[in-house]
Amino acid sequence: MDTRAFIGLEPTHNRFRWKLPVTRGISTPGDFMFGGVGLAAAISAMEGTSGRPCVWATAQYLAYARPGQIVDIDVRLAVEGNQITQARAVCHVADTEILTVNAALGAREFDRSGQWERMPLDVPPPESCGRRPRNMIVAGTISDRLDERLAVGRSFDELDGTEGSGRTLMWARIPDLVGPLDAAGLAVLGDFVPMGVGQALGIRGGGNSLDNTLRIVDLGPGHFGSDGWVLLDITVQAVARGFGHGLIQMYAEDGTLLATASQSCIVRYWSEAADRLDPSRAGDQDPATNDAAGRDNE
């Protein structure tokens, strides 16, 4: 299974339009599409339309989609150069825009390369780390389909309000995928700054992503181990005015920097997020953000 099959993205007769049926398997435990999946679908659609690999992509999250709905993805190739395509994907359910993604795609030959960002030393391997504990039922959701192992982080019971260092290290993989990860797969794994915010504040909370920018570095197949583990080095830079800001360095097991991701999020306690996800409380949603609660990934 590749990433496109994993998320369920489908082409149409029009190469500029793709569709994504929203299932529980790509949704959070709150029954809303996981934000990383939305970015992944847009990247895959733009790669499929342009025939070029993603260099960077940035998503602005506007609303949410529920299981049973279909997200239509309209791709526009704004500029097609000899080596680089500048593209845009608008993802919508009927007339409601869910997210907009801008991206550059392409590849260039150049005689120099280097990596100055380094994987942290002495990180325990995935098999030595316990599975990330959950505080809710995740069966059948995207959380159930990802394998997450905390290397540096706190369990639910340890989140007592004491602030942490702002650094969380977590191994993650998509067990259903075969072969090396692509940009879309890393988009799914790169949506964990909100989880890092909860770890940094020491609270049983996280947030809803407002944006996500993914920058692809090196996806050479030789960097990936047989199990497809990726180390997420999550750094929360600050929380202020109810918003959290952070970034993720994503490493292969051999220390290769695969990609970076950065996000801002609305910070929430989990109980607050659960209340706002309750359809009976729809009238309490913030009209400025349309709540965007479907992207809550703890």
Side-chain angles (χ1 to χ4, degrees):
M1 179 183 292
D2 61 12
T3 307
R4 190 175 292 173
F6 174 78
I7 62 177
L9 180 66
E10 303 173 13
T12 69
H13 69 282
N14 178 353
R15 75 183 185 96
F16 295 95
R17 170 165 282 202
W18 301 68
K19 66 177 183 178
L20 179 67
V22 182
T23 64
R24 182 165 171 79
I26 61 170
S27 301
T28 71
D31 275 343
F32 291 81
M33 185 177 70
F34 184 59
V37 167
L39 177 57
I43 289 173
S44 186
M46 287 186 284
E47 287 185 331
T49 298
S50 69
R52 288 175 165 172
C54 181
V55 178
W56 67 268
T58 186
Q60 181 184 20
Y61 295 111
L62 304 172
Y64 54 86
R66 298 176 182 269
Q69 295 180 323
I70 293 178
V71 176
D72 290 314
I73 302 173
D74 293 324
V75 175
R76 179 182 178 188
L77 305 183
V79 177
E80 295 184 86
N82 291 331
Q83 297 174 315
I84 299 172
T85 297
Q86 303 280 0
R88 180 179 303 110
V90 177
C91 309
H92 55 96
V93 174
D95 294 331
T96 301
E97 193 169 338
I98 304 300
L99 69 153
T100 299
V101 181
N102 290 299
L105 307 102
R108 298 178 64 248
E109 293 293 332
F110 194 70
D111 63 349
R112 301 289 295 272
S113 64
Q115 178 181 322
W116 293 268
E117 195 75 42
R118 298 298 177 189
M119 183 173 171
L121 299 175
D122 302 322
V123 179
E127 57 270 17
S128 299
C129 301
R131 286 183 176 270
R132 180 185 168 203
R134 297 290 183 176
N135 70 314
M136 60 184 71
I137 297 173
V138 300
T141 69
I142 187 70
S143 298
D144 193 31
R145 302 174 74 197
L146 303 181
D147 192 349
E148 304 161 20
R149 310 285 181 95
L150 276 177
V152 176
R154 289 182 275 182
S155 68
F156 180 77
D157 292 335
E158 293 171 324
L159 296 172
D160 59 1
T162 303
E163 292 186 3
S165 66
R167 189 96 176 268
T168 302
L169 298 175
M170 185 172 76
W171 291 102
R173 64 173 179 158
I174 306 174
D176 289 341
L177 296 190
V178 176
L181 283 171
D182 57 6
L186 289 176
V188 174
L189 295 181
D191 193 18
F192 282 96
V193 165
M195 183 271 283
V197 167
Q199 290 280 326
L201 293 174
I203 63 171
R204 299 176 180 184
N208 314 129
S209 303
L210 289 171
D211 67 283
N212 195 349
T213 297
L214 182 72
R215 302 185 188 279
I216 303 301
V217 180
D218 188 349
L219 299 185
H223 301 313
F224 293 91
S226 58
D227 293 327
W229 288 106
V230 174
L231 180 67
L232 308 181
D233 184 355
I234 306 167
T235 300
V236 174
Q237 298 156 314
V239 175
R241 299 182 298 144
F243 301 96
H245 312 280
L247 57 86
I248 302 177
Q249 314 287 4
M250 307 173 74
Y251 295 95
E253 288 187 82
D254 69 358
T256 299
L257 182 64
L258 303 172
T260 69
S262 61
Q263 291 182 272
S264 295
C265 66
I266 304 168
V267 182
R268 303 193 193 281
Y269 291 101
W270 286 333
S271 58
E272 175 191 356
D275 287 344
R276 295 171 70 87
L277 286 169
D278 184 347
S280 68
R281 297 174 58 89
D284 297 336
Q285 294 178 356
D286 182 352
T289 62
N290 202 18
D291 192 42
R295 294 181 298 281
D296 189 349
N297 59 12
E298 304 175 19

Coordinates of all heavy atoms in Angstrom, one line a residue, residues 38-100:
G38 N -5.2 15.8 5.2 CA -5.6 16.8 4.3 C -4.4 17.3 3.5 O -4.5 17.5 2.3
L39 N -3.4 17.7 4.2 CA -2.1 18.1 3.6 C -1.6 17.0 2.7 O -1.1 17.3 1.5 CB -1.1 18.6 4.6 CG 0.3 19.0 4.1 CD1 0.1 20.2 3.0 CD2 1.2 19.4 5.2
A40 N -1.6 15.8 3.1 CA -1.0 14.7 2.3 C -1.8 14.5 1.1 O -1.2 14.3 0.0 CB -1.1 13.4 3.2
A41 N -3.1 14.6 1.1 CA -4.0 14.4 -0.1 C -3.7 15.5 -1.1 O -3.6 15.3 -2.3 CB -5.4 14.4 0.3
A42 N -3.5 16.8 -0.6 CA -3.3 17.9 -1.5 C -1.9 17.7 -2.2 O -1.8 18.0 -3.4 CB -3.3 19.2 -0.8
I43 N -0.9 17.3 -1.4 CA 0.4 17.1 -2.0 C 0.4 16.0 -3.0 O 0.9 16.2 -4.1 CB 1.4 16.7 -0.9 CG1 1.7 18.0 0.0 CG2 2.7 16.2 -1.4 CD1 2.6 17.6 1.2
S44 N -0.2 14.9 -2.7 CA -0.3 13.8 -3.6 C -1.1 14.2 -4.9 O -0.7 13.8 -6.0 CB -1.0 12.6 -3.0 OG -1.0 11.4 -3.8
A45 N -2.1 15.0 -4.8 CA -2.9 15.4 -5.9 C -2.0 16.3 -6.8 O -2.0 16.2 -8.1 CB -4.1 16.2 -5.5
M46 N -1.3 17.3 -6.2 CA -0.4 18.2 -7.0 C 0.7 17.4 -7.6 O 1.1 17.7 -8.8 CB 0.1 19.3 -6.1 CG -1.0 20.3 -5.8 SD -0.4 21.8 -4.9 CE -0.2 21.1 -3.2
E47 N 1.3 16.4 -6.9 CA 2.4 15.6 -7.5 C 1.8 14.8 -8.7 O 2.4 14.7 -9.8 CB 3.0 14.7 -6.5 CG 3.9 15.4 -5.5 CD 4.5 14.4 -4.5 OE1 4.0 13.3 -4.3 OE2 5.6 14.7 -4.0
G48 N 0.6 14.3 -8.5 CA 0.0 13.5 -9.6 C -0.3 14.3 -10.8 O -0.2 13.8 -12.0
T49 N -0.8 15.5 -10.6 CA -1.2 16.4 -11.7 C 0.0 17.0 -12.4 O 0.1 17.0 -13.7 CB -2.1 17.6 -11.2 OG1 -3.3 17.0 -10.6 CG2 -2.4 18.5 -12.3
S50 N 1.1 17.3 -11.7 CA 2.2 18.0 -12.3 C 3.3 17.0 -12.8 O 4.1 17.3 -13.6 CB 2.9 18.9 -11.2 OG 3.5 18.2 -10.2
G51 N 3.3 15.8 -12.2 CA 4.3 14.8 -12.5 C 5.6 15.1 -11.9 O 6.7 14.6 -12.3
R52 N 5.6 16.0 -10.9 CA 6.9 16.4 -10.2 C 6.8 16.2 -8.7 O 5.7 16.2 -8.1 CB 7.2 17.8 -10.5 CG 7.7 18.1 -12.0 CD 7.8 19.5 -12.3 NE 8.6 19.7 -13.6 CZ 8.8 20.8 -14.2 NH1 8.3 21.9 -13.7 NH2 9.5 20.8 -15.3
P53 N 7.9 15.9 -8.0 CA 7.9 15.7 -6.6 C 7.8 17.0 -5.8 O 8.3 18.1 -6.3 CB 9.2 15.0 -6.3 CG 10.2 15.5 -7.4 CD 9.3 15.7 -8.6
C54 N 7.3 16.9 -4.6 CA 7.1 18.1 -3.8 C 8.4 18.6 -3.2 O 9.2 17.8 -2.8 CB 6.1 17.8 -2.6 SG 5.8 19.1 -1.5
V55 N 8.6 19.9 -3.3 CA 9.7 20.6 -2.6 C 9.3 21.1 -1.3 O 9.9 20.9 -0.2 CB 10.3 21.7 -3.5 CG1 11.5 22.4 -2.8 CG2 10.7 21.2 -4.8
W56 N 8.2 21.9 -1.3 CA 7.6 22.4 0.0 C 6.1 22.5 -0.3 O 5.7 22.7 -1.4 CB 8.2 23.7 0.5 CG 8.0 24.8 -0.5 CD1 8.7 25.3 -1.5 CD2 6.8 25.7 -0.4 NE1 8.2 26.4 -2.1 CE2 7.0 26.7 -1.5 CE3 5.7 25.8 0.3 CZ2 6.1 27.7 -1.8 CZ3 4.7 26.8 0.1 CH2 4.9 27.7 -1.0
A57 N 5.4 22.5 0.8 CA 3.9 22.7 0.7 C 3.5 23.4 2.0 O 3.9 23.0 3.1 CB 3.2 21.4 0.5
T58 N 2.5 24.3 1.9 CA 2.0 24.9 3.1 C 0.5 25.0 3.1 O -0.1 25.3 2.1 CB 2.6 26.4 3.3 OG1 2.2 26.9 4.6 CG2 2.2 27.3 2.2
A59 N -0.1 24.5 4.2 CA -1.6 24.4 4.2 C -2.1 25.5 5.2 O -1.6 25.7 6.3 CB -2.0 23.0 4.7
Q60 N -3.2 26.1 4.8 CA -4.0 26.9 5.7 C -5.3 26.2 6.0 O -6.1 25.9 5.0 CB -4.3 28.3 5.1 CG -5.1 29.2 6.1 CD -5.4 30.5 5.5 OE1 -5.4 30.7 4.3 NE2 -5.7 31.5 6.3
Y61 N -5.6 25.8 7.2 CA -6.8 25.1 7.6 C -7.9 26.0 7.9 O -7.8 27.0 8.7 CB -6.5 24.2 8.8 CG -5.5 23.1 8.5 CD1 -4.2 23.1 9.1 CD2 -5.8 22.0 7.7 CE1 -3.3 22.1 8.9 CE2 -4.9 21.0 7.4 CZ -3.6 21.1 8.0 OH -2.7 20.1 7.8
L62 N -9.0 25.8 7.2 CA -10.2 26.7 7.3 C -11.4 26.2 8.0 O -12.1 26.9 8.7 CB -10.5 27.2 5.9 CG -9.4 27.8 5.1 CD1 -9.8 28.0 3.6 CD2 -8.9 29.1 5.7
A63 N -11.6 24.9 7.8 CA -12.8 24.2 8.3 C -12.5 22.7 8.5 O -11.4 22.3 8.4 CB -14.0 24.5 7.4
Y64 N -13.5 21.9 8.7 CA -13.3 20.5 8.9 C -14.3 19.7 8.1 O -15.3 20.2 7.6 CB -13.4 20.1 10.4 CG -14.7 20.6 11.0 CD1 -15.9 19.7 11.0 CD2 -14.9 21.8 11.7 CE1 -17.1 20.1 11.5 CE2 -16.1 22.1 12.3 CZ -17.2 21.3 12.2 OH -18.3 21.7 12.8
A65 N -13.9 18.4 7.9 CA -14.7 17.5 7.2 C -15.0 16.3 8.0 O -14.1 15.8 8.8 CB -14.0 17.1 5.9
R66 N -16.2 15.7 7.9 CA -16.7 14.6 8.7 C -16.7 13.3 7.9 O -16.8 13.4 6.7 CB -18.1 14.9 9.3 CG -18.2 16.1 10.2 CD -19.7 16.2 10.5 NE -20.0 17.4 11.4 CZ -19.9 17.4 12.7 NH1 -19.7 16.2 13.3 NH2 -20.2 18.4 13.4
P67 N -16.6 12.2 8.6 CA -16.7 10.9 7.9 C -18.1 10.9 7.1 O -19.1 11.3 7.6 CB -16.7 9.9 9.0 CG -15.9 10.5 10.1 CD -16.2 12.0 10.0
G68 N -18.0 10.3 5.9 CA -19.2 10.3 5.1 C -19.3 11.4 4.1 O -20.0 11.3 3.1
Q69 N -18.5 12.4 4.3 CA -18.4 13.5 3.3 C -17.3 13.2 2.3 O -16.4 12.3 2.5 CB -18.1 14.8 4.0 CG -19.3 15.3 4.8 CD -19.0 16.6 5.5 OE1 -17.8 16.9 5.9 NE2 -20.0 17.5 5.6
I70 N -17.3 13.9 1.2 CA -16.2 13.8 0.1 C -15.6 15.1 0.0 O -16.2 16.1 -0.3 CB -16.8 13.3 -1.2 CG1 -17.3 11.8 -1.1 CG2 -15.7 13.4 -2.3 CD1 -17.9 11.3 -2.3
V71 N -14.2 15.1 0.1 CA -13.5 16.3 -0.1 C -13.0 16.3 -1.6 O -12.3 15.4 -2.0 CB -12.2 16.4 0.8 CG1 -11.4 17.6 0.5 CG2 -12.7 16.4 2.3
D72 N -13.4 17.3 -2.3 CA -12.9 17.5 -3.7 C -11.7 18.4 -3.7 O -11.6 19.4 -2.9 CB -14.0 18.2 -4.6 CG -15.2 17.3 -4.8 OD1 -14.9 16.1 -5.2 OD2 -16.3 17.7 -4.7
I73 N -10.7 18.0 -4.4 CA -9.4 18.7 -4.5 C -9.2 19.2 -5.9 O -9.0 18.4 -6.8 CB -8.2 17.8 -4.0 CG1 -8.5 17.3 -2.6 CG2 -6.9 18.6 -4.1 CD1 -7.5 16.2 -2.2
D74 N -9.2 20.5 -6.0 CA -9.0 21.2 -7.3 C -7.6 21.7 -7.4 O -7.2 22.5 -6.6 CB -10.0 22.3 -7.6 CG -11.4 21.8 -7.7 OD1 -11.6 20.7 -8.3 OD2 -12.4 22.4 -7.2
V75 N -6.8 21.2 -8.4 CA -5.4 21.6 -8.5 C -5.3 22.6 -9.6 O -5.8 22.5 -10.7 CB -4.5 20.4 -8.8 CG1 -3.1 20.8 -9.1 CG2 -4.6 19.4 -7.7
R76 N -4.5 23.7 -9.3 CA -4.1 24.6 -10.4 C -2.6 24.7 -10.5 O -1.9 24.9 -9.4 CB -4.7 26.0 -10.0 CG -4.3 27.1 -11.1 CD -4.8 28.5 -10.7 NE -4.4 29.4 -11.7 CZ -4.6 30.8 -11.6 NH1 -5.2 31.2 -10.5 NH2 -4.2 31.6 -12.5
L77 N -2.1 24.6 -11.7 CA -0.7 24.7 -11.9 C -0.4 26.1 -12.4 O -0.5 26.5 -13.5 CB -0.2 23.7 -13.0 CG -0.5 22.2 -12.7 CD1 0.1 21.3 -13.8 CD2 0.0 21.8 -11.3
A78 N -0.1 27.0 -11.4 CA 0.0 28.4 -11.7 C 1.2 28.8 -12.6 O 1.0 29.6 -13.5 CB 0.1 29.2 -10.4
V79 N 2.3 28.1 -12.4 CA 3.5 28.4 -13.2 C 4.2 27.0 -13.4 O 4.5 26.3 -12.5 CB 4.5 29.3 -12.5 CG1 5.8 29.5 -13.3 CG2 3.9 30.7 -12.2
E80 N 4.5 26.7 -14.7 CA 5.2 25.5 -15.0 C 6.5 25.8 -15.7 O 6.5 26.2 -16.9 CB 4.3 24.6 -15.9 CG 3.1 24.0 -15.2 CD 2.3 23.1 -16.1 OE1 2.6 21.9 -16.1 OE2 1.4 23.6 -16.8
G81 N 7.6 25.8 -15.0 CA 8.9 26.1 -15.5 C 9.6 24.8 -16.0 O 9.0 23.7 -16.0
N82 N 10.8 25.0 -16.4 CA 11.6 23.8 -16.9 C 11.9 22.8 -15.9 O 11.9 21.6 -16.1 CB 12.9 24.3 -17.6 CG 12.7 25.1 -18.8 OD1 11.8 24.9 -19.6 ND2 13.6 26.1 -19.1
Q83 N 12.0 23.3 -14.6 CA 12.4 22.4 -13.5 C 11.4 22.5 -12.3 O 11.4 21.5 -11.5 CB 13.8 22.7 -13.0 CG 14.9 22.4 -14.1 CD 16.2 22.8 -13.7 OE1 16.4 23.9 -13.1 NE2 17.2 22.0 -13.9
I84 N 10.7 23.6 -12.2 CA 9.9 23.8 -11.0 C 8.5 24.2 -11.4 O 8.3 25.0 -12.3 CB 10.5 24.9 -10.1 CG1 11.9 24.5 -9.7 CG2 9.6 25.2 -8.9 CD1 12.6 25.6 -9.0
T85 N 7.5 23.6 -10.7 CA 6.1 24.0 -10.9 C 5.6 24.6 -9.6 O 5.9 24.1 -8.5 CB 5.2 22.7 -11.2 OG1 5.6 22.2 -12.5 CG2 3.8 23.1 -11.3
Q86 N 5.0 25.7 -9.7 CA 4.3 26.4 -8.6 C 2.8 26.0 -8.7 O 2.2 26.3 -9.8 CB 4.5 27.9 -8.6 CG 5.9 28.3 -8.6 CD 6.6 28.3 -7.2 OE1 5.9 27.9 -6.2 NE2 7.8 28.6 -7.1
A87 N 2.2 25.5 -7.7 CA 0.9 24.9 -7.8 C 0.1 25.3 -6.5 O 0.6 25.7 -5.5 CB 0.9 23.4 -7.9
R88 N -1.3 25.1 -6.7 CA -2.2 25.4 -5.6 C -3.3 24.3 -5.6 O -3.7 23.9 -6.7 CB -2.8 26.8 -5.7 CG -3.8 27.2 -4.7 CD -4.4 28.6 -4.9 NE -3.3 29.6 -5.0 CZ -2.9 30.2 -6.1 NH1 -3.6 30.0 -7.2 NH2 -2.0 31.1 -6.0
A89 N -3.7 23.9 -4.4 CA -4.8 22.9 -4.3 C -5.8 23.5 -3.4 O -5.5 23.9 -2.2 CB -4.3 21.6 -3.9
V90 N -7.1 23.5 -3.8 CA -8.2 24.0 -3.0 C -9.0 22.8 -2.7 O -9.5 22.1 -3.6 CB -9.0 25.0 -3.7 CG1 -10.2 25.4 -2.8 CG2 -8.2 26.3 -4.0
C91 N -9.1 22.5 -1.4 CA -9.9 21.3 -0.9 C -11.2 21.7 -0.3 O -11.2 22.6 0.6 CB -9.0 20.5 0.1 SG -7.3 20.2 -0.4
H92 N -12.3 21.2 -0.8 CA -13.6 21.7 -0.4 C -14.6 20.5 -0.3 O -14.5 19.5 -1.0 CB -14.1 22.8 -1.3 CG -14.2 22.4 -2.7 ND1 -15.3 22.0 -3.3 CD2 -13.2 22.4 -3.7 CE1 -15.1 21.7 -4.6 NE2 -13.8 21.9 -4.9
V93 N -15.6 20.7 0.6 CA -16.7 19.8 0.6 C -17.9 20.6 0.1 O -18.3 21.6 0.8 CB -17.0 19.3 2.1 CG1 -18.3 18.6 2.1 CG2 -15.9 18.5 2.6
A94 N -18.4 20.3 -1.0 CA -19.4 21.1 -1.7 C -18.9 22.5 -1.8 O -17.8 22.7 -2.4 CB -20.8 21.0 -1.0
D95 N -19.6 23.5 -1.3 CA -19.1 24.9 -1.4 C -18.3 25.4 -0.2 O -17.9 26.5 -0.1 CB -20.3 25.8 -1.5 CG -21.1 25.6 -2.9 OD1 -20.4 25.2 -3.8 OD2 -22.3 25.9 -2.9
T96 N -18.0 24.5 0.8 CA -17.3 24.9 1.9 C -15.8 24.5 1.8 O -15.4 23.3 1.6 CB -17.8 24.1 3.2 OG1 -19.2 24.5 3.4 CG2 -17.0 24.5 4.4
E97 N -14.9 25.5 1.8 CA -13.5 25.3 1.6 C -12.9 24.8 2.9 O -13.1 25.4 4.0 CB -12.8 26.6 1.2 CG -11.4 26.4 0.8 CD -10.8 27.7 0.1 OE1 -11.6 28.5 -0.4 OE2 -9.6 27.8 0.0
I98 N -12.2 23.7 2.9 CA -11.7 23.0 4.1 C -10.2 23.5 4.3 O -9.9 23.8 5.4 CB -11.7 21.5 3.9 CG1 -13.2 21.0 3.6 CG2 -11.2 20.8 5.2 CD1 -14.2 21.4 4.7
L99 N -9.4 23.4 3.3 CA -8.1 23.9 3.4 C -7.5 24.3 2.0 O -8.0 23.8 1.0 CB -7.1 22.9 4.0 CG -6.8 21.6 3.2 CD1 -5.4 21.0 3.7 CD2 -7.8 20.5 3.5
T100 N -6.6 25.2 2.0 CA -5.9 25.6 0.8 C -4.4 25.3 0.9 O -3.8 25.6 2.0 CB -6.1 27.1 0.5 OG1 -7.5 27.4 0.4 CG2 -5.4 27.5 -0.7

